Amino acid sequence: MARFRGRGMASVNYPIGMNLGGDPSQALIHSNPDGKFTVALSAIDLGQGMKQVTRQVAAETLGVPIEDVYVDTADSDTGPHDMGSFASRGTHRMGNAVIAAAREARGVLLEAAAEELEVNAADLVTDGKGNIHVKGAPSRSITVRATAQAAQFKQGKTIAGRGIFLIPLSSVDPETGEMNPNTAFAHACLVADVEVDDETGEVTVLGMNSAYELGRVINPKMVEQQLVGGAWMGISHALYETPEPYYPNPDHGPRDFNEYLMPGPGDIAPYSIAILERPAPDGPFGGKGPGEMCANPVLPAIANAVYNAVGVRVNDLPITPEKILRGIRANGGAKPQARRGGAL
Amino acid sequence: MMEFRKDLFSNERDDDLNVVGKGVQRQDAPGHVTGRSPFFDDHAFEGLLHLKVVRSPHPHARIRRIDISAAERAPGVKRILRGADVPVNRNTLLSLINFGKDDEPTLAVDKVRYIGEPIVAIIAESEAQALAARALVRLEYEPLPAVFDVEEALKPGAPVINDIYPGNYFEYHEKYDHQKLRFGDVERGFAMADHIVEDRYQMSPIEHAPTETNGSIAAPEQNDRFVVHSCAQGLFFSLGTAAKIVNLDSNRLHFIGGTVGGGFGGKVDSLTEPLSILGAMMTGRPVRYVLDREEEMLYGSPRGAERIYIKDGIARDGRILARQIRSYFDAGAYTRLSSYAAIKCTAHLPGPYTIPNVASDIYVAYTNRCPSTAMRGFGITAVDFALEVHMDKGAEACGLDPMEFRILNAYRDGDMKAHRRVAKNTALIECVQVAAEKARWPISDEARRQSSLTGGGGARAEIPATPIDENGRINRPETRGGRPTQTLPAGTMRIPLTKQPIMEGSTENRPKAPAVPQYEPYRPAAAAPPPPAPAYTPPPPSAPPPAPAPAAAPSASPAPASQHGAHRFSSVFGTRRR
């Protein structure tokens, strides 16, 4: 009885947003009298960071410090319509709606500043730190705060903006499947190293390496959070989870986390990620978003690594010890395959 | 550990943004880590009532009798709801975008179609009283034969599960029992191939397992409106669904949510909102309906199972000549969102590879299990598992390293995809190269030299002549194995192109968008602190740096007329005044 090491890989792409389009997102932005902005959305933060992504996109577009922007989700009385947080659409669709709204609000902000400075609004720039000044002449400046106060109490202007982003709905050809699906795709490749015990059938994930291309990264910490969390889910999907372990037999429904298996802290594998950024032509600042795809390459990479380790192909998820042991027995013992490159 | 490869695609990107790209702390982080962020269930109401449902113990049965007399007399019970109390007791989620037929009751009336299907809702003063009364509801059933296997369900003569779709399949285009994809001639591709690789794959159901289970609280607002604290993943999606089922105008519902304890797709279905609202309407009091963990696990609608058959024809040199796929989504007893996932899956095929002949038939089959719904990677995760394990087998069949096999077949800019649209903005090859490098997995110099930017298009951009068929007509299962009826000539396109929005921040194929805000450090007369260092320093590029940007940065001027999409709302930009 022995433990066998194996290595597998998988490469994938992922469509960003509802496949056929027709999924609008809207945003409203307005300023307090002292130049602090509120973004009102009905987008949902599931923990993935919707509020922070839209906050950074709004601050970038408005040209104001991040501390001067807060995002309010989600109240159907104040936040305009959004399709929802699913289909990896949040960053792309809502990011673009927020840009549209912020650009409109920025337009009013610069107009108000131009009136105070007695210059042309087209000659004004923001410094991202709370000031507006004439391009090339930093001494001719006014703060965002003073501008907002003047707009509100002197000029009678509302520093506000509204935005929507919509990719029109595509139809689908019944005979060929021709359609206009998503406009943006993210990409990934992942290598998994595993160890398989031919006595117990248990798989230990020793480590993973991946490369993800996600368009422009809006917040690297949140990308890391998504990719690491999603990889855990990928390990869980590959090796542990299902309420119906003998599907299509519907028996064995689990009732709680004692009966529904998931990897624990001891099963988490070291994970090293490289990020590539090829901006999406229609993404917010080129962003696509890591969204759903971060679990996907893990499943086949682990399945391929198990084959590489002991020569057993498990085509039915999850890859349980029982399936591995049955495969080893059918093959007359473990059949390790050729090693692939530098081991851990 | 995470690193950036800023050297790749650097000429398509200006890394000069102010706060986009920075690892700024989330605005909600302090609330989350101190346990003080308010979720839907953190809202206290005076006089709050609790709703629990009676669920079917049978996978398929006719309901003979529902007797609530004993339950009605139980302590604390305020109201009991049955199917007849639900104003619009049949819905399908995607009716909001006019896709599919209403097929699912909120409370089952004459039949139950899965174990756990709600039949009666009990509203009581306390959760314990609602649970006690639940045990007093007397139901009589006549069990019916059940089907659990997708391919069994599609056989002629199988028990009818969902009466709206009597063939046990979702009906596409009012014409077919599946969604087709046809690109080129797979039979010809197989005939030319040196290796044929075929296999069957199965994804089992998976539970979303969010930390916060599904639930909602609805309360009368004393102005003829109802406030609803919800954990929905789509606030207006849930509002629209609930408004239809309880038959109220949308402005009589005030949904509040937005901070959700994990969704993963399991909070799109509005499992609780309609009954909470109906309970509040019927009692005039706030009503809370929250699934307990057992309900969430067993009846909270899982990721659906998928069965996938793949056949590849591969040339001796490793090029995939043809790929044929047949797959079955297990929708459970009702459609929910499965019909949409099958189309998304069709658009995704044959994966991120350029293959000249591709065909697929994707079925959505009904079975007597809990309706499945969206879950992370909906329509993609299972087929990616199947495709990528199949790619491993294909590499083995033709004696190629798996990385080299993928780079050889990877799609590139300008290639025609199987749904007849040109691939753009691709980056699969670069991801494979970087992953190989990180994992110290040796690949050939030639594989290392490949690029997504070159080698695509040309002959690879052509739409081939394609035999099409009318197999699988609705109500005619005998047509499933038919022959092609005609061949579409090369270059055929029948669906108009969607106008593509162009947004700022990308410089692909065009000059820098003029309306991106430009940052010019503010330097007042007195010495100012230097600008903060960027959080992430890009590594030195391996290639020569791109041409420097023009010295005179374009100003935030009116968007040019060629821009559209979201830009059209920035109308104020064009109206400057002195």
Side-chain angles (χ1 to χ4, degrees):
Chain A
M1 298 297 156
R3 289 176 176 173
F4 297 89
R5 288 193 170 193
R7 181 164 245 219
M9 57 83 60
S11 59
V12 300
N13 68 343
Y14 201 86
I16 300 302
M18 276 180 74
N19 176 57
L20 294 175
D23 55 332
S25 284
Q26 291 187 39
L28 295 175
I29 295 182
H30 69 275
S31 164
N32 285 359
D34 58 353
K36 309 295 183 189
F37 288 84
T38 298
V39 182
L41 310 174
S42 69
I44 305 295
D45 199 317
L46 302 161
Q48 85 280 38
M50 188 72 238
K51 289 177 199 172
Q52 185 65 21
V53 164
T54 47
R55 186 185 186 210
Q56 286 184 229
V57 166
E60 184 76 47
T61 311
L62 289 165
V64 302
I66 185 82
E67 301 76 26
D68 291 358
V69 179
Y70 276 92
V71 176
D72 177 39
T73 65
D75 183 320
S76 65
D77 276 9
T78 56
H81 176 266
D82 165 47
M83 224 42 205
S85 291
F86 41 72
S88 301
R89 62 184 297 287
T91 294
H92 189 267
R93 305 291 201 265
M94 192 45 92
N96 279 333
V98 167
I99 286 178
R103 286 165 54 88
E104 189 168 79
R106 177 184 166 88
V108 187
L109 178 73
L110 295 186
E111 271 181 48
E115 193 163 322
E116 292 307 296
L117 293 171
E118 298 185 340
V119 296
N120 190 325
D123 296 333
L124 291 175
V125 291
T126 45
D127 67 354
K129 297 179 180 59
N131 306 290
I132 301 164
H133 64 91
V134 176
K135 189 164 48 189
S139 59
R140 296 196 66 192
S141 80
I142 182 169
T143 61
V144 171
R145 178 191 177 91
T147 305
Q149 284 169 336
Q152 184 94 345
F153 296 105
K154 211 167 108 190
Q155 303 174 14
K157 281 199 177 77
T158 167
I159 300 180
R162 69 221 148 90
I164 187 169
F165 184 76
L166 170 69
I167 292 177
L169 184 66
S170 165
S171 50
V172 181
D173 186 73
E175 277 78 30
T176 63
E178 179 184 345
M179 60 180 118
N180 299 305
N182 307 67
T183 55
F185 292 83
H187 301 87
C189 179
L190 185 137
V191 178
D193 284 277
V194 304
E195 189 171 74
V196 183
D197 186 320
D198 73 347
E199 186 176 8
T200 63
E202 276 193 79
V203 177
T204 307
V205 181
L206 301 173
M208 295 187 291
N209 282 282
S210 74
Y212 272 83
E213 187 282 307
L214 303 166
R216 168 96 61 190
V217 167
I218 309 291
N219 182 317
K221 293 288 184 200
M222 296 201 307
V223 165
E224 189 171 8
Q225 155 205 302
Q226 282 272 56
L227 294 183
V228 172
W232 176 88
M233 189 182 242
I235 293 174
S236 192
H237 278 18
L239 298 173
Y240 296 82
E241 286 187 69
T242 181
E244 298 180 41
Y246 297 96
Y247 178 90
N249 177 335
D251 298 340
H252 293 275
R255 290 162 297 181
D256 58 28
F257 289 112
N258 294 313
E259 298 178 355
Y260 189 74
L261 282 189
M262 289 179 167
D267 305 308
I268 291 171
Y271 184 26
S272 180
I273 305 161
I275 297 295
L276 287 60
E277 296 172 285
R278 186 171 192 199
D282 66 352
F285 298 98
K288 299 173 183 173
E292 302 165 273
M293 76 182 300
C294 36
N296 289 357
V298 180
L299 283 68
I302 287 179
N304 294 338
V306 166
Y307 173 73
N308 186 240
V310 294
V312 174
R313 289 283 187 200
V314 181
N315 292 340
D316 294 6
L317 290 169
I319 304 167
T320 57
E322 178 182 341
K323 290 174 190 168
I324 290 173
L325 289 179
R326 288 187 190 282
I328 289 174
R329 188 183 295 170
N331 288 350
K335 300 267 192 287
Q337 306 294 305
R339 299 289 303 160
R340 303 205 187 280
L344 286 179
Chain B
M1 200 197 83
M2 194 173 89
E3 60 178 331
F4 276 79
R5 287 295 301 266
K6 294 276 187 189
D7 54 315
L8 295 163
F9 307 114
S10 58
N11 60 342
E12 294 187 14
R13 213 174 53 232
D14 302 303
D15 291 325
D16 61 349
L17 299 173
N18 191 39
V19 66
V20 161
K22 305 286 196 295
V24 185
Q25 184 183 289
R26 299 166 55 151
Q27 72 173 44
D28 53 3
H32 283 354
V33 300
T34 57
R36 284 172 169 79
S37 297
F39 294 82
F40 86 88
D41 209 11
D42 291 320
H43 297 88
F45 286 89
E46 202 173 327
L48 182 67
L49 299 176
H50 298 264
L51 187 149
K52 288 283 168 189
V53 297
V54 180
R55 295 179 183 276
S56 165
H58 297 286
H60 199 192
R62 203 173 300 284
I63 302 171
R64 281 200 177 283
R65 201 166 73 95
I66 303 175
D67 177 2
I68 58 168
S69 53
E72 270 180 327
R73 292 192 300 272
V77 170
K78 302 306 285 183
R79 177 86 199 207
I80 294 186
L81 306 175
R82 285 171 291 187
D85 299 311
V86 181
V88 178
N89 196 23
R90 190 181 275 169
N91 180 48
T92 193
L93 292 169
L94 291 174
S95 63
L96 293 183
I97 56 169
N98 290 321
F99 192 61
K101 298 183 263 191
D102 288 343
D103 69 342
E104 181 170 7
T106 299
L107 293 173
V109 179
D110 51 345
K111 264 189 186 178
V112 284
R113 298 174 177 89
Y114 65 94
I115 293 177
E117 180 159 8
I119 305 163
V120 172
I122 294 170
I123 302 165
E125 295 280 356
S126 74
E127 216 165 340
Q129 287 171 329
L131 289 171
R134 188 163 75 170
L136 299 175
V137 174
R138 281 191 283 272
L139 286 149
E140 283 176 26
Y141 302 95
E142 175 194 337
L144 297 169
V147 190
F148 296 103
D149 185 275
V150 283
E151 291 180 85
E152 293 297 320
L154 293 184
K155 285 184 181 163
V160 173
I161 295 155
N162 181 330
D163 309 76
I164 304 298
Y165 295 104
N168 292 338
Y169 45 78
F170 183 80
E171 296 167 3
Y172 282 97
H173 315 286
E174 297 174 347
K175 202 168 176 189
Y176 296 118
D177 59 15
H178 64 286
Q179 174 64 51
K180 297 174 191 288
L181 177 70
R182 299 287 184 270
F183 182 77
D185 184 345
V186 286
E187 293 307 331
R188 196 164 151 266
F190 291 140
M192 290 163 59
D194 297 295
H195 306 281
I196 299 288
V197 182
E198 276 185 274
D199 225 326
R200 170 196 191 266
Y201 301 88
Q202 179 72 57
M203 160 77 87
S204 303
I206 292 177
E207 156 62 17
H208 302 86
T211 308
E212 167 201 61
T213 59
N214 268 283
S216 56
I217 301 172
E221 262 192 342
Q222 310 310 331
N223 54 2
D224 230 12
R225 300 179 85 209
F226 298 88
V227 66
V228 184
H229 292 278
S230 161
C231 63
Q233 279 183 245
L235 200 75
F236 275 92
F237 203 97
S238 187
L239 190 155
T241 298
K244 175 181 169 186
I245 291 171
V246 303
N247 197 24
L248 285 180
D249 286 336
S250 64
N251 68 347
R252 291 185 61 197
L253 296 176
H254 176 192
F255 268 57
I256 297 174
T259 301
V260 175
F264 310 107
K267 291 175 177 167
V268 184
D269 292 4
S270 301
L271 289 174
T272 65
E273 287 84 351
L275 283 180
S276 297
I277 297 164
L278 191 58
M281 290 165 69
M282 297 289 200
T283 62
R285 286 172 62 177
V287 172
R288 172 181 179 268
Y289 174 24
V290 181
L291 303 190
D292 61 28
R293 182 58 65 185
E294 183 175 327
E295 289 179 298
E296 180 74 38
M297 287 249 174
L298 294 175
Y299 320 123
S301 90
R303 179 199 288 285
E306 288 173 49
R307 183 171 302 158
I308 300 158
Y309 295 87
I310 307 179
K311 179 179 178 182
D312 278 359
I314 309 173
R316 195 167 289 112
D317 67 358
R319 285 178 205 281
I320 306 172
L321 302 177
R323 173 167 284 176
Q324 189 172 40
I325 292 170
R326 181 163 47 95
S327 101
Y328 302 87
F329 281 76
D330 187 341
Y334 301 107
T335 308
R336 302 244 173 125
L337 307 163
S338 298
S339 50
Y340 202 85
I343 295 208
K344 185 172 176 182
C345 182
T346 299
H348 185 63
L349 295 174
Y353 307 105
T354 293
I355 300 176
N357 304 288
V358 180
S360 73
D361 293 343
I362 315 286
Y363 296 81
V364 170
Y366 298 99
T367 61
N368 287 110
R369 51 168 54 78
C370 180
S372 60
T373 193
M375 187 172 181
R376 187 178 219 160
F378 197 28
I380 309 287
T381 300
V383 81
D384 271 356
F385 164 75
L387 289 173
E388 288 302 303
V389 172
H390 210 71
M391 289 295 284
D392 215 51
K393 295 171 187 172
E396 190 176 29
C398 57
L400 276 181
D401 176 275
M403 296 263 188
E404 306 262 353
F405 185 59
R406 279 160 176 95
I407 290 175
L408 176 68
N409 287 290
Y411 76 152
R412 301 174 186 225
D413 287 5
D415 287 356
M416 185 57 63
K417 300 170 96 175
H419 55 258
R420 295 168 193 253
R421 293 296 177 269
V422 174
K424 293 175 289 191
N425 196 241
T426 61
L428 192 79
I429 290 172
E430 287 73 12
C431 283
V432 176
Q433 290 164 335
V434 170
E437 186 185 319
K438 280 181 78 71
R440 285 181 291 144
W441 179 317
I443 57 173
S444 67
D445 288 341
E446 200 192 340
R448 249 195 299 272
R449 277 196 301 270
Q450 301 306 306
S451 163
S452 295
L453 309 177
T454 56
R460 294 162 62 113
E462 284 164 19
I463 295 174
T466 302
I468 59 170
D469 57 77
E470 301 211 331
N471 298 350
R473 296 297 295 259
I474 288 171
N475 295 329
R476 293 187 57 201
E478 75 282 1
T479 64
R480 278 180 193 152
R483 307 290 309 161
T485 49
Q486 61 164 307
T487 297
L488 292 180
T492 303
M493 285 176 67
R494 311 204 283 194
I495 301 287
L497 289 170
T498 302
K499 202 167 154 191
Q500 301 274 312
I502 302 289
M503 299 301 294
E504 53 254 73
S506 161
T507 57
E508 189 189 65
N509 300 329
R510 62 192 173 81
K512 182 168 176 167
V516 175
Q518 294 302 302
Y519 292 94
E520 195 174 302
Y522 173 58
R523 288 185 203 83
Y536 283 78
T537 311
S542 57
S555 62
S557 58
S562 67
Q563 293 187 334
H564 44 79
H567 288 196
R568 65 180 180 271
F569 289 91
S570 303
S571 52
V572 180
F573 255 125
T575 59
R576 63 169 197 262
R577 274 192 320 208
R578 296 245 5 169

